[in-house]
Amino acid sequence: MGNVMIGNLIKYSKQLNNNDVFMNEALQMEKAASVGKRIRLFYPKYHVEECLAQIRECLEIGWTGNGFKTEQFEEVWIKYTGQNNALFLNSCSAALELALDVLKTEYGWDDGDEVITTPNTFVSTNHAILHNGLKPVFADIDDTNCLDPLDVERKMSQKTRAVLFVGIGGNAGRYLDIAKICMENGLKLILDASHMVGTKIRGEVAGREADAVCYSFQSVKNLTTADSGMLCFNKPELGKQARKKAWLGINQGTYERNSENAYRWNYDVEYIGYKYQGNSVMAAMALAQFQFLDQDNAIRDKVASYYDEKLAPYRNLAIPVRIPNDCKSSHHLYQILVDDRDRMIDRMNEAGIECGVHYVSNTRYSMYSYARGTCPRAEYVSDHVISLPIHAALTDSEIQYIINTLIGILKEE
Ligand SMILES: Cc1ncc(COP(=O)(O)O)c(C=O)c1O
């Protein structure tokens, strides 16, 4: 919708006098158009023709549900990650819930057993613990904005069963130290790799040390579908349990029952499961988008290096540490810490640059307020962190403009 047309609509609606519905529609379109002019914090880069070609196959053979493309994408993912199994789901939130459900069943954890987790994450991470009747115990974050191994050790108790690590923004932080702690103490390790699609640890796709790894392909992630996720277990038999639980506990998939000569209608129900499966339309998009993952992540890497270089001299700003050699980040986020965060966001917004906050410490939310004050650095970061725009569609001139604007504001401080 062009601006001239929107202008005409507004003029026309004013002539109509108090036609509120029409006026609202016109104003909404004007707003949408102006949003288009802003530099977006996230901007999913869809490889449209490739996505459409993959989706077309689903429509032509008449299979959009679970199976078909989901199986193809699972195979691609196994090869890419080096994991020995993969389960395509409707989200990473579902993956996290299932991961804990399966581990709890398999290892006989009791209700109220504890999982050590980070406060600086999207609430899906911690809700998954509560949904499973377990208790999130918050450990603080360190200078990487990820879990601090020292505080994880401090927060361990007789009831600790697992650690849930989030690679915030694609940063692996001190994940390898945490993996070691888990191994030495008989704790399970779950990796929330929502932001880590493309992250490499010592040259390998992140996550091999974990008992379960959960990925997000939600609408702004590095590998964008619209909404979907993946769950990989290091033990294939746990992957099999998860597959049944993701399909209401049913022991055979519909595609599997359908793909022989006859439709086999009989099955058993072994668990109370969920309807968490992913579908073939999302998997079709994932297959198409996957081909460009490395290329798109290379652009993010370039943007991040540019930010790193230009922002390094400014002392009134801190960039979370990435441990050299250990981590090649996917750069899902580019985070900085500044003194006056709210003012910085307002000023950037005025300049047409969207910024985000990832995240408010979950201990600030009513649900998790029992842990308020237990993670001082997480609360500090929660008040000072900003995410700058980073995505594969940023142009060189936009990056330059963001940096110039930011530096201008920093110099005023
Ligand atoms: C750290 C983290 N964990 C989990 C999730 C949940 O992912 P999904 O939206 O695929 O359920 C997100 C999504 O934003 C996230 O950022």
Side-chain angles (χ1 to χ4, degrees), residues 232-274:
C232 298
F233 280 98
N234 67 351
K235 286 193 176 170
E237 61 271 25
L238 298 190
K240 283 188 192 145
Q241 188 189 132
R243 191 171 294 278
K244 292 174 196 168
K245 286 185 165 170
W247 176 219
L248 295 155
I250 296 173
N251 66 352
Q252 281 177 50
T254 311
Y255 189 66
E256 191 188 342
R257 288 188 285 114
N258 214 347
S259 50
E260 308 234 322
N261 292 341
Y263 182 77
R264 287 178 290 119
W265 53 269
N266 206 2
Y267 53 73
D268 190 18
V269 183
E270 297 177 13
Y271 304 97
I272 308 175
Y274 313 87

Side-chain angles (χ1 to χ4, degrees), residues 58-204:
C58 300
L59 301 180
E60 282 178 352
I61 76 150
W63 195 279
T64 52
N66 184 255
F68 185 40
K69 290 285 172 189
T70 62
E71 289 181 3
Q72 288 179 30
F73 186 52
E74 284 167 0
E75 275 169 33
V76 165
W77 202 249
I78 286 170
K79 216 162 155 195
Y80 172 66
T81 56
Q83 300 277 357
N84 56 38
N85 63 94
L87 174 62
F88 187 67
L89 296 167
N90 62 24
S91 65
C92 183
S93 303
L96 287 159
E97 284 182 30
L98 264 184
L100 284 157
D101 179 311
V102 168
L103 290 170
K104 188 180 179 197
T105 309
E106 182 67 14
Y107 296 106
W109 298 347
D110 291 325
D111 283 351
D113 280 352
E114 296 172 359
V115 177
I116 297 181
T117 182
T118 174
N120 283 52
T121 184
F122 187 56
V123 285
S124 291
T125 317
N126 294 319
H127 280 8
I129 303 171
L130 285 180
H131 271 305
N132 279 286
L134 301 163
K135 183 178 177 196
V137 171
F138 293 97
D140 212 347
I141 55 174
D142 60 20
D143 54 1
T144 67
N145 282 4
C146 299
L147 272 180
D148 177 356
L150 294 175
D151 207 40
V152 167
E153 283 187 311
R154 269 183 233 120
K155 299 283 168 65
M156 274 164 37
S157 78
Q158 288 300 320
K159 287 186 148 196
T160 309
R161 301 286 170 257
V163 176
L164 208 171
F165 187 93
V166 179
I168 199 86
N171 191 353
R174 294 186 173 82
Y175 164 79
L176 291 176
D177 294 342
I178 304 259
K180 192 160 170 267
I181 292 172
C182 288
M183 200 133 83
E184 286 169 359
N185 292 279
L187 303 177
K188 299 297 161 201
L189 176 59
I190 301 126
L191 179 61
D192 178 344
S194 290
H195 300 182
M196 295 177 93
V197 172
T199 293
K200 302 264 170 65
I201 297 180
R202 298 192 180 159
E204 293 197 330

